[in-house]
Amino acid sequence: MKIADAKVIVCRPGRNFVTLKLTTDDGITGVGDATLNGRELAVATYLREHVAPLLIGRDAARIEDTWQYLFQGAYWRRGPVTMTAIAAVDTALWDIKGKVAGLPVYQLLGGRSRDDVTVYGHANGETVDEVLTQVAGYVERGYRAVRVQCGIPGLEKTYGVSADKLFYEPADAPRPTETRWSTRRYLTAIPPVFARVRDQFGPHLALLHDVHHRLTPIEAGRVGASLEPYGLYWLEDPVPADLQEGFRIIRQHTTTPIAVGEVFNSIWDCHQLIREQLIDYIRATVVHAGGITHLRRILDLAALHHVRSGSHGATDLSPVGMAAALQLDVSIPNFGIQEYMPHTEETDQVFPHGYRFADGALHPSDEPGLGVDIDEAAAARYPYAPAYLPVNRLEDGTVHPW
Ligand code: CS2
Ligand code: MG
Protein backbone atom coordinates (compact mmCIF):
# COMPACT_ATOMS: atom_id res chain seq x y z
CA MET A 1 0.00 0.00 0.00
CA LYS A 2 1.92 2.99 -1.30
CA ILE A 3 1.17 6.70 -1.11
CA ALA A 4 0.07 7.69 -4.62
CA ASP A 5 -1.04 11.29 -4.11
CA ALA A 6 -0.48 14.09 -1.61
CA LYS A 7 -2.72 17.10 -2.05
CA VAL A 8 -2.63 20.34 -0.06
CA ILE A 9 -5.97 22.15 0.18
CA VAL A 10 -6.16 25.73 1.45
CA CYS A 11 -9.61 27.18 2.13
CA ARG A 12 -11.34 29.86 4.18
CA PRO A 13 -14.85 28.89 5.31
CA GLY A 14 -14.90 31.83 7.75
CA ARG A 15 -11.19 31.43 8.59
CA ASN A 16 -8.15 29.91 6.89
CA PHE A 17 -7.45 26.18 7.06
CA VAL A 18 -4.74 24.06 5.44
CA THR A 19 -5.50 20.37 4.94
CA LEU A 20 -3.31 17.56 3.63
CA LYS A 21 -5.07 14.72 1.86
CA LEU A 22 -3.11 11.55 1.13
CA THR A 23 -4.38 8.85 -1.23
CA THR A 24 -2.91 5.35 -1.46
CA ASP A 25 -2.51 3.35 -4.66
CA ASP A 26 -5.57 1.30 -3.65
CA GLY A 27 -7.67 4.45 -3.26
CA ILE A 28 -7.76 4.87 0.54
CA THR A 29 -7.61 8.49 1.67
CA GLY A 30 -6.41 10.08 4.89
CA VAL A 31 -6.54 13.70 6.07
CA GLY A 32 -4.34 15.82 8.33
CA ASP A 33 -4.79 19.38 9.62
CA ALA A 34 -1.84 21.63 8.68
CA THR A 35 -3.25 24.97 9.84
CA LEU A 36 -0.80 27.40 11.47
CA ASN A 37 -2.71 30.57 12.29
CA GLY A 38 -1.34 33.56 10.37
CA ARG A 39 1.39 31.48 8.66
CA GLU A 40 -0.85 29.14 6.66
CA LEU A 41 0.89 29.46 3.31
CA ALA A 42 4.34 28.74 4.79
CA VAL A 43 3.13 25.27 5.84
CA ALA A 44 1.22 24.74 2.58
CA THR A 45 4.38 25.55 0.58
CA TYR A 46 6.60 23.41 2.82
CA LEU A 47 4.24 20.50 2.27
CA ARG A 48 3.77 21.02 -1.47
CA GLU A 49 7.40 21.72 -2.36
CA HIS A 50 9.43 19.71 0.16
CA VAL A 51 7.29 16.93 1.61
CA ALA A 52 4.70 15.78 -0.95
CA PRO A 53 7.30 14.75 -3.58
CA LEU A 54 9.12 12.61 -0.97
CA LEU A 55 5.94 10.84 0.08
CA ILE A 56 4.96 9.47 -3.32
CA GLY A 57 5.80 5.77 -3.49
CA ARG A 58 6.42 5.38 0.28
CA ASP A 59 4.70 2.61 2.23
CA ALA A 60 1.62 4.22 3.83
CA ALA A 61 1.68 1.68 6.68
CA ARG A 62 5.04 2.93 8.04
CA ILE A 63 3.92 5.77 10.29
CA GLU A 64 6.84 5.87 12.74
CA ASP A 65 9.42 5.45 9.99
CA THR A 66 7.88 8.27 7.94
CA TRP A 67 7.86 10.52 11.00
CA GLN A 68 11.57 9.87 11.64
CA TYR A 69 12.36 10.24 7.94
CA LEU A 70 10.75 13.71 7.80
CA PHE A 71 12.05 14.87 11.20
CA GLN A 72 15.64 13.56 11.15
CA GLY A 73 15.94 13.52 7.40
CA ALA A 74 15.38 17.24 6.89
CA TYR A 75 18.51 18.04 8.98
CA TRP A 76 16.72 21.32 10.00
CA ARG A 77 14.68 20.14 12.94
CA ARG A 78 11.67 21.43 14.85
CA GLY A 79 9.98 24.80 14.45
CA PRO A 80 6.23 25.38 13.99
CA VAL A 81 6.21 25.22 10.18
CA THR A 82 8.15 21.96 9.93
CA MET A 83 6.35 20.30 12.82
CA THR A 84 2.88 21.29 11.56
CA ALA A 85 3.75 19.82 8.16
CA ILE A 86 5.04 16.58 9.73
CA ALA A 87 1.94 16.48 11.94
CA ALA A 88 -0.38 16.61 8.93
CA VAL A 89 1.42 13.68 7.26
CA ASP A 90 1.39 11.67 10.49
CA THR A 91 -2.31 12.34 11.15
CA ALA A 92 -3.29 11.40 7.59
CA LEU A 93 -1.33 8.13 7.88
CA TRP A 94 -3.12 7.25 11.16
CA ASP A 95 -6.41 7.97 9.38
CA ILE A 96 -5.42 5.57 6.59
CA LYS A 97 -4.28 2.91 9.07
CA GLY A 98 -7.60 3.10 10.88
CA LYS A 99 -9.53 2.74 7.64
CA VAL A 100 -7.41 -0.25 6.59
CA ALA A 101 -8.01 -1.89 9.98
CA GLY A 102 -11.70 -0.95 9.96
CA LEU A 103 -11.25 0.66 13.39
CA PRO A 104 -11.36 4.17 14.84
CA VAL A 105 -7.83 5.36 15.55
CA TYR A 106 -8.38 5.32 19.32
CA GLN A 107 -8.72 1.52 19.11
CA LEU A 108 -5.24 1.36 17.57
CA LEU A 109 -3.95 3.52 20.46
CA GLY A 110 -5.13 1.01 23.07
CA GLY A 111 -8.88 1.61 23.17
CA ARG A 112 -10.98 3.87 25.36
CA SER A 113 -9.81 4.91 28.80
CA ARG A 114 -13.05 6.89 29.26
CA ASP A 115 -16.46 7.17 27.67
CA ASP A 116 -16.22 10.76 26.48
CA VAL A 117 -13.95 13.80 26.46
CA THR A 118 -14.73 16.59 28.93
CA VAL A 119 -14.38 20.00 27.29
CA TYR A 120 -14.31 23.61 28.37
CA GLY A 121 -16.00 26.49 26.59
CA HIS A 122 -15.04 30.17 26.33
CA ALA A 123 -17.03 32.74 28.31
CA ASN A 124 -15.87 36.29 27.77
CA GLY A 125 -17.20 39.79 28.17
CA GLU A 126 -16.12 43.41 28.39
CA THR A 127 -17.71 43.70 31.86
CA VAL A 128 -18.14 41.26 34.74
CA ASP A 129 -21.92 41.31 34.24
CA GLU A 130 -21.46 40.29 30.62
CA VAL A 131 -19.07 37.51 31.73
CA LEU A 132 -21.61 36.18 34.23
CA THR A 133 -24.30 36.01 31.52
CA GLN A 134 -21.90 34.13 29.25
CA VAL A 135 -20.91 31.64 31.97
CA ALA A 136 -24.61 31.04 32.71
CA GLY A 137 -25.16 30.25 29.01
CA TYR A 138 -22.43 27.59 29.07
CA VAL A 139 -23.81 26.05 32.26
CA GLU A 140 -27.27 25.90 30.65
CA ARG A 141 -25.79 24.16 27.61
CA GLY A 142 -24.35 21.47 29.89
CA TYR A 143 -20.70 22.54 30.18
CA ARG A 144 -18.89 21.51 33.36
CA ALA A 145 -15.85 23.67 32.70
CA VAL A 146 -15.65 27.26 31.47
CA ARG A 147 -12.76 29.55 30.59
CA VAL A 148 -13.35 33.06 31.90
CA GLN A 149 -11.88 36.17 30.22
CA CYS A 150 -12.91 39.73 31.06
CA GLY A 151 -12.13 43.16 29.60
CA ILE A 152 -9.62 45.10 31.70
CA PRO A 153 -10.88 48.60 32.61
CA GLY A 154 -8.63 51.21 30.99
CA LEU A 155 -7.53 48.94 28.12
CA GLU A 156 -9.23 49.49 24.78
CA LYS A 157 -9.18 45.82 23.76
CA THR A 158 -8.30 42.66 25.69
CA TYR A 159 -7.11 39.53 23.85
CA GLY A 160 -9.63 36.73 24.29
CA VAL A 161 -12.59 39.10 24.71
CA SER A 162 -14.67 39.44 21.57
CA ALA A 163 -17.93 40.88 20.33
CA ASP A 164 -18.92 37.65 18.58
CA LYS A 165 -19.26 35.30 21.54
CA LEU A 166 -19.64 31.86 20.02
CA PHE A 167 -17.24 32.10 17.07
CA TYR A 168 -14.55 34.28 18.62
CA GLU A 169 -11.75 34.78 16.10
CA PRO A 170 -8.48 36.44 17.20
CA ALA A 171 -6.90 36.51 13.69
CA ASP A 172 -9.03 39.51 12.87
CA ALA A 173 -7.33 41.58 10.15
CA PRO A 174 -5.32 41.34 6.89
CA ARG A 175 -2.48 43.19 8.70
CA PRO A 176 -2.02 42.68 12.45
CA THR A 177 -4.07 45.03 14.61
CA GLU A 178 -2.11 46.50 17.53
CA THR A 179 -3.34 46.34 21.10
CA ARG A 180 -2.05 47.77 24.39
CA TRP A 181 -1.37 45.94 27.62
CA SER A 182 -0.99 47.02 31.26
CA THR A 183 0.09 44.40 33.79
CA ARG A 184 -0.75 46.79 36.64
CA ARG A 185 -4.36 47.18 35.49
CA TYR A 186 -4.67 43.43 34.87
CA LEU A 187 -3.37 42.46 38.34
CA THR A 188 -5.97 44.67 39.99
CA ALA A 189 -8.90 43.76 37.76
CA ILE A 190 -8.78 39.97 37.58
CA PRO A 191 -9.33 38.65 41.18
CA PRO A 192 -12.72 40.42 41.62
CA VAL A 193 -13.93 38.84 38.36
CA PHE A 194 -13.36 35.35 39.74
CA ALA A 195 -14.81 36.33 43.13
CA ARG A 196 -18.11 37.16 41.42
CA VAL A 197 -18.09 34.10 39.16
CA ARG A 198 -17.52 31.77 42.15
CA ASP A 199 -20.11 33.61 44.17
CA GLN A 200 -22.76 33.11 41.48
CA PHE A 201 -21.89 29.58 40.29
CA GLY A 202 -20.67 27.89 43.49
CA PRO A 203 -17.60 25.74 44.13
CA HIS A 204 -18.06 22.90 41.62
CA LEU A 205 -17.91 24.51 38.18
CA ALA A 206 -14.37 24.15 36.79
CA LEU A 207 -13.00 27.62 35.98
CA LEU A 208 -10.04 28.28 33.73
CA HIS A 209 -8.22 31.49 32.78
CA ASP A 210 -5.75 32.33 30.00
CA VAL A 211 -3.09 35.05 30.47
CA HIS A 212 -1.77 34.72 26.89
CA HIS A 213 1.90 34.92 27.92
CA ARG A 214 1.66 38.50 29.23
CA LEU A 215 3.49 38.30 32.61
CA THR A 216 6.89 37.73 34.17
CA PRO A 217 7.27 34.70 36.48
CA ILE A 218 7.06 36.78 39.67
CA GLU A 219 3.93 38.56 38.40
CA ALA A 220 2.47 35.19 37.49
CA GLY A 221 3.18 33.97 41.02
CA ARG A 222 1.23 36.91 42.36
CA VAL A 223 -1.77 36.34 40.06
CA GLY A 224 -1.80 32.64 40.90
CA ALA A 225 -1.75 33.42 44.63
CA SER A 226 -4.49 36.04 44.30
CA LEU A 227 -6.72 33.51 42.51
CA GLU A 228 -6.16 30.65 44.99
CA PRO A 229 -9.39 31.37 46.94
CA TYR A 230 -11.38 30.68 43.75
CA GLY A 231 -9.85 27.24 43.12
CA LEU A 232 -9.09 27.53 39.40
CA TYR A 233 -8.82 24.38 37.32
CA TRP A 234 -5.85 26.08 35.64
CA LEU A 235 -4.05 29.32 34.92
CA GLU A 236 -2.89 29.17 31.30
CA ASP A 237 0.20 30.63 29.67
CA PRO A 238 1.00 33.00 32.54
CA VAL A 239 4.42 33.63 30.96
CA PRO A 240 5.98 32.64 27.63
CA ALA A 241 7.63 29.26 28.05
CA ASP A 242 10.86 29.79 26.14
CA LEU A 243 12.66 29.97 29.49
CA GLN A 244 11.49 26.70 30.97
CA GLU A 245 13.34 27.17 34.28
CA GLY A 246 11.42 30.45 34.79
CA PHE A 247 8.44 28.37 35.86
CA ARG A 248 10.27 27.44 39.08
CA ILE A 249 9.58 30.96 40.32
CA ILE A 250 5.85 30.59 39.65
CA ARG A 251 5.80 27.28 41.54
CA GLN A 252 7.50 28.86 44.56
CA HIS A 253 4.64 31.34 44.92
CA THR A 254 1.36 29.63 44.11
CA THR A 255 -0.54 26.35 44.21
CA THR A 256 -2.84 27.44 41.35
CA PRO A 257 -2.37 24.74 38.68
CA ILE A 258 -0.47 25.88 35.58
CA ALA A 259 -1.22 24.98 31.94
CA VAL A 260 1.08 25.74 29.04
CA GLY A 261 2.04 24.56 25.58
CA GLU A 262 -0.37 25.65 22.82
CA VAL A 263 2.60 27.06 20.88
CA PHE A 264 4.93 24.11 21.57
CA ASN A 265 5.98 22.03 18.61
CA SER A 266 8.13 19.29 20.10
CA ILE A 267 9.01 17.40 23.25
CA TRP A 268 12.11 19.57 23.47
CA ASP A 269 9.93 22.60 24.26
CA CYS A 270 8.54 21.01 27.40
CA HIS A 271 10.74 18.17 28.69
CA GLN A 272 12.15 20.28 31.52
CA LEU A 273 8.73 21.68 32.44
CA ILE A 274 7.46 18.12 32.66
CA ARG A 275 10.45 16.45 34.32
CA GLU A 276 10.67 19.10 37.04
CA GLN A 277 6.88 19.05 37.49
CA LEU A 278 6.73 22.79 36.86
CA ILE A 279 3.35 22.53 35.11
CA ASP A 280 0.15 20.58 35.67
CA TYR A 281 -1.34 20.50 32.16
CA ILE A 282 0.37 20.28 28.79
CA ARG A 283 -1.55 22.04 26.00
CA ALA A 284 0.43 20.82 22.98
CA THR A 285 -1.67 19.64 20.05
CA VAL A 286 -1.67 16.95 17.41
CA VAL A 287 -1.63 19.75 14.79
CA HIS A 288 1.37 21.76 15.96
CA ALA A 289 3.41 19.19 17.89
CA GLY A 290 4.22 16.62 15.24
CA GLY A 291 0.99 14.65 14.97
CA ILE A 292 -0.50 11.77 16.91
CA THR A 293 2.86 9.95 17.03
CA HIS A 294 4.80 12.80 18.63
CA LEU A 295 2.04 14.14 20.89
CA ARG A 296 1.60 10.66 22.32
CA ARG A 297 5.35 10.65 23.10
CA ILE A 298 4.97 13.98 24.95
CA LEU A 299 1.89 12.73 26.81
CA ASP A 300 3.63 9.52 27.86
CA LEU A 301 6.48 11.56 29.35
CA ALA A 302 3.88 13.78 31.02
CA ALA A 303 2.11 10.77 32.54
CA LEU A 304 5.31 9.79 34.36
CA HIS A 305 5.42 13.21 36.04
CA HIS A 306 1.77 13.75 37.06
CA VAL A 307 1.14 16.13 34.19
CA ARG A 308 -2.20 15.77 32.41
CA SER A 309 -3.31 16.77 28.92
CA GLY A 310 -5.29 19.91 28.07
CA SER A 311 -4.96 20.25 24.32
CA HIS A 312 -5.47 23.55 22.58
CA GLY A 313 -8.75 23.47 20.64
CA ALA A 314 -9.44 26.98 19.41
CA THR A 315 -11.22 27.44 16.08
CA ASP A 316 -7.94 27.88 14.19
CA LEU A 317 -7.53 24.10 14.50
CA SER A 318 -9.87 22.57 11.92
CA PRO A 319 -12.37 19.75 12.58
CA VAL A 320 -9.64 17.45 11.21
CA GLY A 321 -7.38 18.58 14.08
CA MET A 322 -10.21 18.16 16.58
CA ALA A 323 -11.11 14.68 15.34
CA ALA A 324 -7.46 13.65 15.75
CA ALA A 325 -7.20 15.24 19.21
CA LEU A 326 -10.23 13.27 20.40
CA GLN A 327 -8.64 9.96 19.42
CA LEU A 328 -5.80 10.64 21.88
CA ASP A 329 -8.01 12.31 24.50
CA VAL A 330 -10.24 9.29 24.83
CA SER A 331 -7.44 6.74 24.95
CA ILE A 332 -4.60 8.17 27.07
CA PRO A 333 -4.48 7.50 30.83
CA ASN A 334 -3.54 11.09 31.79
CA PHE A 335 -6.28 13.05 30.04
CA GLY A 336 -7.21 16.31 31.78
CA ILE A 337 -9.55 18.39 29.62
CA GLN A 338 -9.99 19.40 25.98
CA GLU A 339 -10.56 22.98 24.80
CA TYR A 340 -13.58 23.26 22.51
CA MET A 341 -14.86 26.19 20.50
CA PRO A 342 -17.53 25.21 17.97
CA HIS A 343 -16.76 25.90 14.32
CA THR A 344 -19.05 27.88 12.02
CA GLU A 345 -21.64 26.09 9.90
CA GLU A 346 -19.55 26.72 6.75
CA THR A 347 -16.54 25.07 8.36
CA ASP A 348 -18.61 22.07 9.46
CA GLN A 349 -19.88 21.70 5.89
CA VAL A 350 -16.37 21.73 4.43
CA PHE A 351 -15.19 19.19 7.05
CA PRO A 352 -17.97 16.63 7.62
CA HIS A 353 -17.24 14.83 10.90
CA GLY A 354 -18.72 12.24 13.21
CA TYR A 355 -17.75 13.66 16.61
CA ARG A 356 -20.48 15.48 18.52
CA PHE A 357 -21.00 17.56 21.66
CA ALA A 358 -23.38 16.40 24.41
CA ASP A 359 -23.50 16.83 28.20
CA GLY A 360 -20.38 18.95 28.51
CA ALA A 361 -18.27 16.50 26.53
CA LEU A 362 -17.21 15.64 23.01
CA HIS A 363 -17.91 12.13 21.81
CA PRO A 364 -15.42 10.86 19.23
CA SER A 365 -16.67 9.20 16.08
CA ASP A 366 -16.70 5.40 15.90
CA GLU A 367 -16.08 5.38 12.15
CA PRO A 368 -12.86 3.75 10.93
CA GLY A 369 -9.92 6.19 10.93
CA LEU A 370 -10.40 9.68 12.32
CA GLY A 371 -14.05 10.01 11.34
CA VAL A 372 -13.59 13.28 9.47
CA ASP A 373 -13.18 14.28 5.82
CA ILE A 374 -12.81 17.29 3.56
CA ASP A 375 -15.44 18.14 0.95
CA GLU A 376 -13.14 19.53 -1.74
CA ALA A 377 -15.95 21.05 -3.82
CA ALA A 378 -17.23 22.93 -0.76
CA ALA A 379 -13.68 24.00 0.18
CA ALA A 380 -13.14 25.46 -3.31
CA ARG A 381 -15.96 27.94 -2.67
CA TYR A 382 -13.92 29.65 0.08
CA PRO A 383 -10.57 31.00 -1.18
CA TYR A 384 -7.69 31.95 1.15
CA ALA A 385 -7.32 35.53 2.37
CA PRO A 386 -4.57 36.75 4.73
CA ALA A 387 -5.56 37.15 8.40
CA TYR A 388 -3.22 37.85 11.29
CA LEU A 389 -3.22 37.67 15.07
CA PRO A 390 -2.82 41.05 16.84
CA VAL A 391 0.54 42.42 17.94
CA ASN A 392 0.62 43.46 21.57
CA ARG A 393 2.36 46.59 22.89
CA LEU A 394 2.90 47.99 26.36
CA GLU A 395 1.25 51.30 27.27
CA ASP A 396 4.39 53.23 26.26
CA GLY A 397 4.34 51.64 22.79
CA THR A 398 7.08 49.02 23.29
CA VAL A 399 6.31 45.69 21.62
CA HIS A 400 5.60 43.36 24.54
CA PRO A 401 9.09 42.02 25.26
CA TRP A 402 8.36 38.40 26.26
C1 CS2 B 1 -6.05 30.92 22.90
C2 CS2 B 1 -6.20 31.03 21.41
O1 CS2 B 1 -7.52 29.10 22.80
C3 CS2 B 1 -6.61 29.63 23.44
O2 CS2 B 1 -6.20 29.22 24.49
O3 CS2 B 1 -4.82 31.18 23.42
O4 CS2 B 1 -7.04 32.11 21.18
C4 CS2 B 1 -4.92 31.26 20.65
O5 CS2 B 1 -4.37 32.49 20.97
C5 CS2 B 1 -5.16 31.16 19.18
O6 CS2 B 1 -5.67 29.90 18.91
C6 CS2 B 1 -3.89 31.41 18.40
O7 CS2 B 1 -3.95 30.92 17.13
MG1 MG C 1 -4.42 29.97 25.16
Side-chain angles (χ1 to χ4, degrees), residues 176-181 213-214 390-402:
T177 48
E178 300 204 357
T179 54
R180 298 284 164 130
W181 172 257
H213 326 267
R214 299 286 196 261
V391 169
N392 191 37
R393 292 182 185 274
L394 302 179
E395 282 174 300
D396 70 358
T398 314
V399 173
H400 199 291
W402 40 76

Side-chain angles (χ1 to χ4, degrees), residues 120 147 159 210 212-213 236-237 262 283 312 339:
Y120 69 89
R147 185 184 98 156
Y159 191 85
D210 192 346
H212 293 110
H213 326 267
E236 173 181 337
D237 287 341
E262 67 183 42
R283 282 181 47 70
H312 188 204
E339 181 178 14

Side-chain angles (χ1 to χ4, degrees), residues 282-303:
I282 178 75
R283 282 181 47 70
T285 62
V286 167
V287 182
H288 300 132
I292 290 174
T293 298
H294 194 65
L295 184 58
R296 191 176 57 174
R297 198 148 285 152
I298 294 174
L299 294 172
D300 281 345
L301 178 69

